[in-house]
Amino acid sequence: MTTKLYIKTYGCQMNEYDSDKMADVLRACGDMEQTDKPEEADIILFNTCSIREKAEEKVFSDLGRARALKQHNPNLLIGVGGCVASQEGETIIKRAPYVDVVFGPQTLHRLPQLIAARRASGESQVDISFPEIEKFDHVPTAQTTHGSAFVSIMEGCSKYCTFCVVPYTRGDEVSRPFDDVIREVESLTAQGVSEITLLGQNVNAYQGTMGDGDTVDFAFLLQAVAALPGVQRLRYTTSHPREMTQRLIDLYATTPKLASHLHLPVQSGSDRILAAMKRGYTALEYKSVVRKLRAVRPDISITSDFIIGFPGETEADFAATMKLVEDVGFDASFSFIFSPRPGTPAAEMADDTPYETKLERLHRLQTRIHGMEQQVSAAMSGSVQRVLVENISRKNAQELAGRTENNRVVNFAGSPGMLGRYVDVRILPGTLHTLRGELVIQP
């Protein structure tokens, strides 16, 4: 009998990757298929994120809806994984005793054992330990029909920025062995995957061991992955400015497979705020990294993250952020008002800036970067872009959706047989976030 699995994923691409691995692990244990309808599911998993404010409350709200489903189906199994699970642990069971299993990012590979123990004992199971990088030794090889795939190369973070909860929920930085990463990429390319995105909380801090015991850096890994014949395009996320070494920057001059897009979170343009955040660089140092990147890859697209209203942020601090935005010129950004995360140093800092002021600053920042996005889109009009066809268009089932090298989505008319392939698309005048294009027919 087929077991139906429903997974709701909150947060970052690392969580998306982990959700795929949860499905892989459970699929390897028996006849399992995923559903997007929780009311059909035999197992419901919530893969949680604790970066944003009220993350825990959103999880418990969703758990309440799952509880109603369990009342109709007592055999329904409910699990909570991810960073909220790592933070809260047994507290989740105390607040929601109908939850069957609680597991952290490092213990998702133990899901089958946790589920078996729950069914055998009748008691809820909790495992939020940090067994280094053990999970990668236990998850089965990914099966995919898409042209692109994520490959996680490290876990955790050792930067301990004052606002961030990740080191406490995912542990310190631990890199996967070099050979393991190469084997996973080769397995994916053998299935037809041609675009690889390497993942990590601070992906460019990678320090992986080789079979002979030597340690290699991220630049070496990128070169090795790019050299694999099945890889046509290579991306990575998320990067830390402190780890953008000259060796890594130089790869943009010598490695055409490396996509002309880099997500490089800056968080603030104020040196005073950057120091309070414990980011480890100044605005000038950040701009220097961007300048070096553009010197070797002039068309590179730079996107970033911003936290607005960090404790103590003044109008002068915000003005410094706006100046950095003008100086750098970003293609897009993710920007949020600061939200204190329990257990982090920033949660204890005095914060007397009115919320309305923070909201107004966020609006100013987003409006300016929105304008920059429009300029990039306008500049792309008429150009021919190499596009990886990823999906059927969400808005029109007769169209396809592909991604350009600079990470823009393009909708265009085409046949489903093009899915997973690269095609040339001429960009037409279109909307801000989703461009429109037409296939360039080769003579």
Side-chain angles (χ1 to χ4, degrees):
M1 182 177 172
T2 301
T3 300
K4 291 196 173 183
L5 170 67
Y6 172 82
I7 303 178
K8 178 167 183 177
T9 307
Y10 309 72
C12 68
Q13 288 168 314
M14 286 292 291
N15 268 18
E16 291 177 29
Y17 177 88
D18 282 350
S19 289
D20 288 342
K21 292 304 174 189
M22 291 174 200
D24 289 342
V25 164
L26 292 174
R27 204 177 288 121
C29 294
D31 191 5
M32 174 90 56
E33 70 176 38
Q34 280 186 259
T35 176
D36 57 4
K37 297 177 180 177
E39 62 274 11
E40 292 181 352
D42 301 295
I43 299 174
I44 292 178
L45 301 178
F46 296 106
N47 190 13
T48 62
C49 173
S50 56
I51 296 298
R52 301 259 56 85
E53 191 175 11
K54 295 186 171 64
E56 295 87 348
E57 296 312 312
K58 289 176 184 174
V59 174
F60 282 106
S61 174
D62 283 339
L63 280 173
R65 285 187 280 274
R67 181 187 191 182
L69 294 175
K70 191 162 188 168
Q71 288 170 340
H72 290 287
N73 176 16
N75 293 321
L76 173 64
L77 191 136
I78 300 172
V80 180
C83 291
V84 170
S86 186
Q87 254 188 313
E88 301 295 321
E90 296 276 359
T91 304
I92 292 174
I93 303 298
K94 290 175 183 173
R95 282 188 62 177
Y98 50 89
V99 171
D100 299 288
V101 293
V102 176
F103 55 99
Q106 274 75 16
T107 52
L108 65 86
H109 61 286
R110 297 177 181 172
L111 255 176
Q113 291 84 3
L114 291 170
I115 290 172
R118 169 67 180 93
R119 287 173 172 158
S121 69
E123 296 181 356
S124 299
Q125 303 293 308
V126 178
D127 186 348
I128 53 170
S129 57
F130 289 88
E132 288 294 308
I133 210 146
E134 174 191 297
K135 79 177 182 187
F136 293 109
D137 296 328
H138 293 81
V139 294
T141 302
Q143 303 296 314
T144 180
T145 56
H146 298 289
S148 62
F150 294 124
V151 174
S152 183
I153 66 169
M154 62 187 299
E155 276 285 343
C157 179
S158 300
K159 298 296 185 288
Y160 287 87
C161 299
T162 56
F163 57 82
C164 186
V165 75
V166 167
Y168 308 102
T169 58
R170 285 186 176 263
D172 285 333
E173 291 166 1
V174 182
S175 297
R176 285 181 77 181
F178 172 83
D179 292 340
D180 286 3
V181 177
I182 298 300
R183 273 194 294 269
E184 183 169 349
V185 175
E186 288 177 331
S187 169
L188 290 165
T189 58
Q191 298 175 56
V193 171
S194 60
E195 179 178 293
I196 298 293
T197 301
L198 302 179
L199 282 183
Q201 246 70 42
N202 281 317
V203 68
N204 49 346
Y206 176 83
Q207 293 286 319
T209 54
M210 299 186 76
D212 60 6
D214 282 352
T215 300
V216 297
D217 65 2
F218 186 57
F220 186 95
L221 177 65
L222 277 179
Q223 283 179 296
V225 174
L228 297 174
V231 175
Q232 294 188 46
R233 187 180 283 171
L234 183 56
R235 303 181 188 273
Y236 58 91
T237 195
T238 292
S239 309
H240 195 289
R242 275 171 54 189
E243 310 290 351
M244 287 302 298
T245 63
Q246 191 60 50
R247 269 172 50 78
L248 182 50
I249 291 168
D250 289 344
L251 286 186
Y252 284 91
T254 59
T255 313
K257 290 181 182 179
L258 199 51
S260 289
H261 169 252
L262 175 64
H263 188 68
L264 192 63
V266 65
Q267 308 300 0
S268 175
S270 162
D271 289 347
R272 193 178 70 84
I273 295 298
L274 287 169
M277 289 177 168
K278 202 180 168 190
R279 290 292 288 173
Y281 54 84
T282 64
L284 183 62
E285 287 168 335
Y286 181 90
K287 287 188 282 189
S288 175
V289 168
V290 174
R291 186 173 64 251
K292 290 174 184 176
L293 283 163
R294 286 181 171 152
V296 296
R297 187 74 73 89
D299 64 342
I300 193 167
S301 160
I302 304 291
T303 57
S304 198
D305 294 344
F306 293 89
I307 294 174
I308 301 303
F310 188 82
E313 182 188 77
T314 64
E315 189 61 33
D317 293 320
F318 179 70
T321 296
M322 293 299 287
K323 182 178 186 306
L324 180 134
V325 167
E326 296 298 331
D327 290 347
V328 172
F330 294 98
D331 278 30
S333 77
F334 296 103
S335 49
F336 306 93
I337 291 175
F338 169 77
S339 58
R341 309 313 302 132
T344 61
E348 307 302 319
M349 295 179 182
D351 183 10
D352 56 4
T353 304
Y355 182 79
E356 293 73 18
T357 301
K358 297 178 182 181
L359 201 59
E360 187 271 335
R361 289 174 184 167
L362 180 68
H363 178 71
R364 268 193 279 164
L365 174 82
Q366 291 179 338
T367 298
R368 184 64 192 104
I369 295 180
H370 181 87
M372 291 177 172
E373 286 185 73
Q374 289 179 312
Q375 289 174 328
V376 172
S377 295
M380 291 175 70
S381 181
S383 68
V384 175
Q385 301 284 328
R386 192 74 171 155
V387 168
L388 175 61
V389 185
E390 294 185 336
N391 295 295
I392 303 294
S393 172
R394 285 187 295 181
K395 293 185 178 179
N396 184 345
Q398 306 305 310
E399 293 190 337
L400 302 174
R403 192 171 299 274
T404 65
E405 189 176 346
N406 67 347
N407 209 39
R408 294 297 183 94
V409 174
V410 183
N411 286 335
F412 57 95
S415 66
M418 294 175 178
L419 286 169
R421 289 168 43 199
Y422 288 90
V423 297
D424 290 330
V425 175
R426 181 175 288 106
I427 305 300
L428 304 172
T431 56
L432 170 62
H433 295 291
T434 305
L435 300 170
R436 295 198 56 74
E438 60 183 7
L439 275 172
V440 175
I441 307 300
Q442 301 297 337

